[in-house]
Amino acid sequence: MSLGEKLRQARLEAGLSQRALCGEEITRNMLSRIENGAAQPSMRTLQYLADQLGKPVSFFLEEQAVVSANQKVMESARRLYDLGQFDRAMAALEDYTAPDPVYDREKALLTILVQLALAEQAIQQHRERYARELLENTDTSGIYCAEALNRQRILLLGRLDGSGRLSRQLPSLDEELKLRAIEAIRQGDLRRGTHLLEAMQHRDTPQWMLLRGEAYLAENAYQNAVQCLRRAEDAFPEEVVPKLETCYRELGDYKQAYLYACKQKK
């Protein structure tokens, strides 16, 4: 984990926004650049941040050792998947060397996620034959959240089938997925939490919107967070209103931020 990633995780664990952590010492833009790996803090700045977070400076400076020859392959594949470049992610995974006790399980999971994403893309592009080939060669056995992934596979096959008969035979896994997503988001594992949310069958409920909004907020994707949280506001006002105030404040929309601050005082 890089210095920026450690800093961001420690900030989220402390329940602090970027603005709250910055104080008068540094700008929010600089903190964002540090967390994203685009800038390195001076020792004075790092000492200030460590003090604010209750961590020793050494916590942020300890480097993670390279524990596998596949580390760069996996980092590249993860990044490409997150960018939605699924063809390139699959190509990156072809350079993986097995067996590898460190990454074998993650590689198997990421391969399935890429296959499912490529299949959905192919369906949208009316490349049904390629989509069916991908789905028929997707093996979810022995994989974490195998039931959820297999559900997604069957739902996609159902779209190819056109009748929806396959998908109607499946019991809903939404409640389990929701609980796992909540746990992952609260622990700062946003990638896993997001994947769990996207695997849910019903993605238009107020609670789903609340959870997705929380994940966007933790990623500093404030505009996306607003869109989700506004759809959850009526159902969960006490949880949503302070989050919307934060989003609008970070977006520089101080009029809306003030309105939501006032709502909290009522």
Side-chain angles (χ1 to χ4, degrees):
M1 187 181 294
S2 68
L3 184 153
E5 290 171 329
K6 288 183 178 181
L7 179 59
R8 182 170 177 277
Q9 180 175 316
R11 176 176 62 78
L12 292 174
E13 289 175 353
L16 296 175
S17 67
Q18 287 186 330
R19 191 176 299 279
L21 179 57
C22 289
E24 300 296 326
E25 185 70 19
I26 61 174
T27 65
R28 189 176 68 81
N29 180 59
M30 175 55 72
L31 178 58
S32 180
R33 285 171 52 80
I34 293 171
E35 289 188 350
N36 292 324
Q40 291 294 320
S42 65
M43 283 304 299
R44 177 182 173 181
T45 298
L46 186 57
Q47 182 66 64
Y48 166 80
L49 294 171
D51 290 343
Q52 293 294 101
L53 294 167
K55 301 281 189 184
V57 171
S58 60
F59 172 82
F60 300 102
L61 295 178
E62 292 171 356
E63 295 184 359
Q64 184 179 27
V66 176
V67 293
S68 166
N70 288 307
Q71 182 170 326
K72 289 187 176 180
V73 171
M74 292 304 300
E75 288 174 351
S76 175
R78 285 192 220 110
R79 179 178 57 82
L80 291 167
Y81 176 82
D82 289 340
L83 291 171
Q85 299 178 17
F86 306 122
D87 285 314
R88 293 183 62 193
M90 184 65 81
L93 289 170
E94 291 176 0
D95 293 331
Y96 186 91
T97 303
D100 183 338
V102 176
Y103 287 114
D104 276 353
R105 291 181 66 186
E106 183 184 354
K107 189 262 184 180
L109 174 59
L110 187 55
T111 298
I112 292 170
L113 291 171
V114 170
Q115 287 176 312
L116 293 174
L118 284 171
E120 184 163 12
Q121 219 174 49
I123 292 172
Q124 293 171 353
Q125 297 167 354
H126 305 291
R127 299 161 61 200
E128 287 82 3
R129 183 175 179 179
Y130 177 52
R132 188 175 297 279
E133 179 183 337
L134 283 166
L135 294 170
E136 289 178 349
N137 286 282
T138 299
D139 181 11
T140 62
S141 58
I143 298 296
Y144 175 75
C145 271
E147 290 185 13
L149 293 169
N150 195 46
R151 162 180 286 282
Q152 189 173 348
R153 173 179 169 272
I154 292 176
L155 287 171
L156 290 171
L157 282 168
R159 285 169 61 180
L160 289 173
D161 178 58
S163 66
R165 175 178 53 82
L166 291 172
S167 62
R168 287 195 295 270
Q169 296 174 3
L170 293 170
S172 176
L173 296 171
D174 281 7
E175 188 62 26
E176 179 182 351
L177 291 170
K178 180 191 72 176
L179 293 174
R180 292 181 181 274
I182 291 172
E183 178 186 12
I185 292 170
R186 297 294 189 269
Q187 292 176 350
D189 191 347
L190 303 179
R191 182 181 291 110
R192 177 169 162 247
T194 298
H195 289 165
L196 290 165
L197 288 173
E198 294 298 334
M200 289 174 65
Q201 182 179 5
H202 302 291
R203 299 194 293 272
D204 57 356
T205 66
Q207 188 164 42
W208 190 92
M209 291 296 171
L210 171 61
L211 293 171
R212 195 65 183 90
E214 286 183 350
Y216 276 132
L217 178 57
E219 294 169 342
N220 301 331
Y222 302 112
Q223 193 61 58
N224 290 335
V226 165
Q227 293 175 7
C228 289
L229 292 171
R230 288 292 296 269
R231 295 177 65 180
E233 184 177 356
D234 290 343
F236 303 99
E238 292 186 2
E239 296 180 64
V240 169
V241 167
K243 292 180 173 62
L244 282 170
E245 182 199 351
T246 298
C247 289
Y248 283 121
R249 189 171 63 249
E250 295 293 340
L251 289 168
D253 189 341
Y254 299 112
K255 180 179 179 181
Q256 286 292 334
Y258 174 75
L259 290 175
Y260 276 94
C262 291
K263 285 186 179 185
Q264 295 177 64
K265 298 177 181 178
K266 292 182 179 180

